[in-house]
Amino acid sequence: MPRAEREAQILVVAEQVFAERGYQATTMEDVAERVGVTKPLIYEYFGSKEGLLSACIVSARGQLRDATERSWAAVGDDAELIDIFRAGVRAFFDFIDQHRNAFLLIQQEGVMAAQTSPLIESIREQQSAATAATLGAAPGLSSVPPEVLEGYAEVIVGACERIAVWRGRRPDVTAADATELVVATVWSGLASQLTTS
């Protein structure tokens, strides 16, 4: 198997094992056994258990960004701002559902390794920057100062993250429910920035 494919396979399995056992209880041997490779191979690719966790977070960051951008593109260029907003929020919750255990692990053990804390924050920064850029390009918001749009983006990302944590305790709340909760809470403030010109 080519190295890139093997690395991707290891990351999928590692995310599952970290989520099931927790960071501290997971060993490189656990991951190697489940993947069907040797432990030295995982060390060769990732260097350490912390390096493996970091690679999982970096991979998730890219996947989340891609999912969000696809959701915005899917609504089309002539979509209403609320539809763009809703699509981005829903993409986040759908992504979290696909990586639910790993997300909860990161939330519970966010201080587990000094190297991973900046990586977790980089996911927030990435989503905030992409959201602010998308809002800035939306009709009716082009005259809003960038710092105001950045502030709204931070509110949106923060609201999504907290609702995702809450959903971890409330499995009856669907991604659609969570999306509508965030949209209903934040939309009136964002809509107040719209101009009709």
Side-chain angles (χ1 to χ4, degrees):
M1 180 180 290
R3 178 172 175 152
E5 289 179 31
R6 179 65 77 190
E7 282 184 3
Q9 179 191 34
I10 292 169
L11 291 176
V12 168
V13 171
E15 181 182 301
Q16 293 168 349
V17 176
F18 282 133
E20 289 168 11
R21 299 183 183 186
Y23 176 75
Q24 298 298 335
T26 295
T27 67
M28 296 292 259
E29 190 170 320
D30 296 332
V31 177
E33 184 177 302
R34 188 154 327 163
V35 175
V37 298
T38 64
K39 187 167 66 170
L41 180 72
I42 297 180
Y43 277 107
E44 178 186 334
Y45 285 3
F46 302 100
S48 65
K49 182 168 75 167
E50 188 174 296
L52 180 59
L53 177 63
S54 296
C56 287
I57 294 169
V58 168
S59 175
R61 181 179 63 202
Q63 292 172 32
L64 176 57
R65 176 68 184 261
D66 291 346
T68 305
E69 289 179 348
R70 280 193 310 272
S71 75
W72 287 328
V75 297
D77 294 336
D78 58 346
E80 297 287 325
L81 178 59
I82 192 168
D83 297 324
I84 297 167
F85 176 38
R86 182 177 281 114
V89 172
R90 179 60 187 262
F92 174 81
F93 289 118
D94 286 342
F95 181 83
I96 294 302
D97 281 354
Q98 294 164 8
H99 301 269
R100 183 178 214 87
N101 290 333
F103 175 77
L104 294 174
L105 170 74
I106 288 170
Q107 292 303 309
Q108 294 164 3
E109 298 189 38
V111 293
M112 59 193 139
Q115 184 177 344
T116 59
S117 292
L119 291 173
I120 294 168
E121 182 58 27
S122 75
I123 296 173
R124 294 180 185 110
E125 291 171 357
Q126 165 195 277
Q127 290 305 109
S128 293
T131 300
T134 299
L135 293 175
L141 291 179
S142 58
S143 63
V144 177
E147 64 273 13
V148 173
L149 294 179
E150 289 169 13
Y152 273 101
E154 292 289 338
V155 168
I156 293 165
V157 169
C160 287
E161 186 174 345
R162 290 307 309 159
I163 293 298
V165 171
W166 172 69
R167 282 185 69 217
R169 301 185 304 269
R170 294 292 308 267
D172 55 313
V173 179
T174 67
D177 296 336
T179 298
E180 291 311 310
L181 181 58
V182 172
V183 170
T185 303
V186 179
W187 175 248
S188 61
L190 186 59
S192 72
Q193 299 295 318
L194 285 168
T195 61
T196 56
S197 56

